[in-house]
Amino acid sequence: MPGALLPSADVPVSKGRVASDLYLIADNDVVYEQDVLKNPGSLKPWLEYVAYKRQYGTFLERSFVLERACSLLPRSYKLWKMYLDLRTRHLRGRNPAKYAAEYDKVNALFERALILLNKMPKIWEMYLKFLTKQPLITTTRRVFDRALRSLPATQHNRIWTQFRPFALTASGETSIRIWRRYLQIHPEDAEDFIDILVERQQYTEAVQKYIEILNNPRFKSKEAKGPFQFWTEMVELMIDHAREIKTGNETGINVERIVRSGIQRFPDQRGILWVGLARFWINKGNHEKARDTFEEGITTVMTVRDFTIVFDTYAEAEEAILGILMEQANTRSEKGKLDENADLDLEIRMDRLEQLMNRRPFLVNDVLLRQNPDNVIEWEKRVALWGDNKQEVVQTYTNAIAAINPKKALGRFHELWVNYAKLYEQGGDLNTARVIMEKAVKVPFKSVNELAEMWCGWAELELRNENFDRAVAIIAKATQAPKRSKVDYFDETLTPQQRVHKSSKLWSYYLDLVESVSSLEETRKVYDRIFELRIATPLTVVNYADLLEENRYFEDSYKVYERGLDLFSYPVAFELWNKYLTKAAQRQISIERLRDLFEQAVLECPPKFAKTLYLMYGALEEERGIARHAMRIYERATRQVSDEDRAAMFDFYITKSASNFGLTSTRPIYERAIESLPDGEAKDMCLKFAEMERKMGEIDRARALFGHGSQFCDPRTNPEYWKKWESFEVQHGNEDTFKEMLRIKRSVQTKYNTDVSFIAAQAIARGQQQPEPPVNGDGGTGSASTADAMANLERQARAPMGFVAASTGPEGAKAPVEEQPAAAPANPDAIEMDDEDT
């Protein structure tokens, strides 16, 4: 039948069998048979014979020829390949169970081929692929083993490509053993093996493989997983299958030790890991061990986030157990059964849950203090949590003082000491409170200010108990210092105790205390000591002077101001001079002495502050001195004040001069103001000067002033100035003076057009001004004006930048000999005048 194996060359063949196969040789095959007989050991005639049969022969004829060829040439890879392809293709699509005999024949044929071709990987691949389609698990596994033993290691990948899928289909222990062998040469596929182990419920071995991966620093994941991800997967596997995984020395798996090592190695995952370890014990059924784990977790985590995770899970676990016990209790009550032990256990668990909830604020506070034991604010919160429990409050204060590093304290550490002392003060134990304060002032605080607050707190304690003398003595002790102390208050290399005697805060408190409970002489000694240490503030100077003034020590108060002026420079000195001069002037001391004071004040005064002092000086001379002296002072002020105040000073000077000596006396002042002020303010001064001259009837002088000020005003950026001049000429001038004004306006405009510094300002002003087109009397726009404007624009476009044409006629050498009036450019500001007006 088709597909039947022919006997091999070394097997004796009966004559009847040979005779029965001769019918497969047709008449057309004679030529190929003769070639084969002539060259029986040659490959080429056989290949030609096979090619001919492939085209014209049947399956049986091709099999007959290839069988004979392979028998004569058993080492020919090409012939065997063709023969095996033919036989396997013939069985493709057929059921291996139904045609088991035919499959066995092909298997035997593969075995014959592999006798001499066992180093050919392709033959092995074909054989293995053919076997995997048959229900022969053991035979197939053994053939895979033979293939791996026969082929060199460099070609094993070709076998493993089929061996791994076979292992998946085989399942069971066979699959796992095959994968173990595979990982010996391909350890990078350990992740796939772990998935298979989990799928086969071999959790213990899966955990062991995870451990091998984590212990191998050279392992590279195909899925780009990191050590933490592998570790997390392993822990989840151990937790979820706690009962199935074998632990102990035999397997080398210690779940608690593994999770605890992760807690130390991954601090940002501590909350999750503590919960995981507790879940492991819950899954194992050891609830007491799980509770101990939860307790350890909430008392060791370092962040509020981790604490919240552990605490919430802890509470949920307790509530779940409590719910189960309550259901059991309800069931017993319905059945009328009594179980005292179970009821007692229920009550204990309820009390435990309630206590857990009450402990939450303290546990959160513990977490924050573990994060930073130098956090004074959290220690204060801890004290507040204990409420009226004095014993715990005292213990908390003691722990806080022992734990906090004063140099690193976060918050007001001195207030912790003060509150600690207040606790004993409120309890009536004043001596213990003083002992605490005495220890507190020796603490190396972070800053001098904290130490000063500590001394002040000690004094406040004595004041609350009406021990005023003791309070003064305490502050006096705090401010003790050498007669000439050279300690730098800002020298951080010195301790706060060495610098506290220069604390302005402490001295200010000392002053308030002495003024309240001591005499004036004691208060003056304290003020004088502050000045000796050179730590006085402007407020100290003013307060000392006011104190002396209230007690009618006027001269001494003036000396205090002078001492303060020696300590401070401007701008502080300006305020002191202002107050000093005001007080001196109000007391009506001699005019000569006041003049000396004012001269000292303005001698080194910066221009920024000079205006106020000069005005006070001038007012003094006007009130108690000579008016001419006041004018000289105002004249000096116009030179000494800042540029921002100079124009206002000139206005004030002019006003005072006019009121005292008449308008004519202001002319030299106006002239000097115009010379010294900048252009923007000089033009305003010219307008004021011209207005004054106009009021006096000096029209020509006013016109000259308008002409002088015009050089500072571009007609396009300062049209207001020209409008005022135009209004002046309309009221007081004639045609000639008006034309002269227009001529000056054009010349000034020409000057600014050729000056590069004003081009940008003109462009901005031109963009801001959007004049409406002129309108004729009949309501239409003036065509002549429009034409002139267009002509001007075209001429400016052709001219160079910054150039203004002098006329529209011929220029230079091309100009005619006879003088002809040139057509003036259109001027939008010109006024049309009829002949009758001339």
Side-chain angles (χ1 to χ4, degrees), residues 423-574:
L423 180 66
Y424 282 96
E425 181 191 359
Q426 293 169 358
D429 191 354
L430 191 59
N431 292 329
T432 305
R434 287 170 180 163
V435 171
I436 293 171
M437 284 296 185
E438 189 173 357
K439 290 182 179 180
V441 296
K442 297 177 183 179
V443 173
F445 288 100
K446 186 164 52 175
S447 65
V448 180
N449 191 41
E450 283 190 282
L451 181 57
E453 291 278 2
M454 197 68 249
W455 281 106
C456 294
W458 192 359
E460 289 287 343
L461 182 142
E462 298 295 345
L463 290 176
R464 286 194 297 270
N465 292 275
E466 298 182 356
N467 298 322
F468 303 112
D469 294 338
R470 187 184 288 270
V472 174
I474 289 170
I475 299 299
K477 181 180 178 181
T479 54
Q480 283 181 354
K483 183 68 175 177
R484 297 185 180 276
S485 176
K486 296 182 180 179
V487 174
D488 184 5
Y489 178 79
F490 299 100
D491 187 1
E492 295 294 335
T493 59
L494 301 177
T495 63
Q497 281 75 9
Q498 293 173 304
R499 295 178 285 154
V500 72
H501 66 275
K502 282 199 171 184
S503 171
S504 59
K505 184 180 185 65
L506 190 60
W507 280 103
S508 298
Y509 185 85
Y510 193 9
L511 286 172
D512 294 339
L513 183 60
V514 171
E515 288 180 13
S516 301
V517 301
S518 298
S519 63
L520 177 63
E521 292 302 322
E522 293 294 330
T523 306
R524 293 187 66 174
K525 288 180 182 179
V526 175
Y527 272 114
D528 292 338
R529 184 57 178 152
I530 291 175
F531 277 97
E532 289 175 5
L533 293 173
R534 303 184 68 83
I535 58 175
T537 62
L539 185 60
T540 305
V541 175
V542 174
N543 290 340
Y544 191 12
D546 290 343
L547 176 66
L548 293 174
E549 185 179 359
E550 289 174 3
N551 291 276
R552 306 193 66 79
Y553 291 94
F554 298 106
E555 292 301 326
D556 290 342
S557 70
Y558 299 153
K559 291 178 182 178
V560 169
Y561 280 119
E562 291 173 0
R563 293 174 70 180
L565 291 170
D566 291 337
L567 291 175
F568 300 104
S569 60
Y570 286 91
V572 176
F574 167 73

Side-chain angles (χ1 to χ4, degrees), residues 30 66 72 77 441 443 472 528 572 732 738:
V30 174
L66 285 170
L72 291 174
Y77 168 76
V441 296
V443 173
V472 174
D528 292 338
V572 176
H732 304 286
F738 195 88

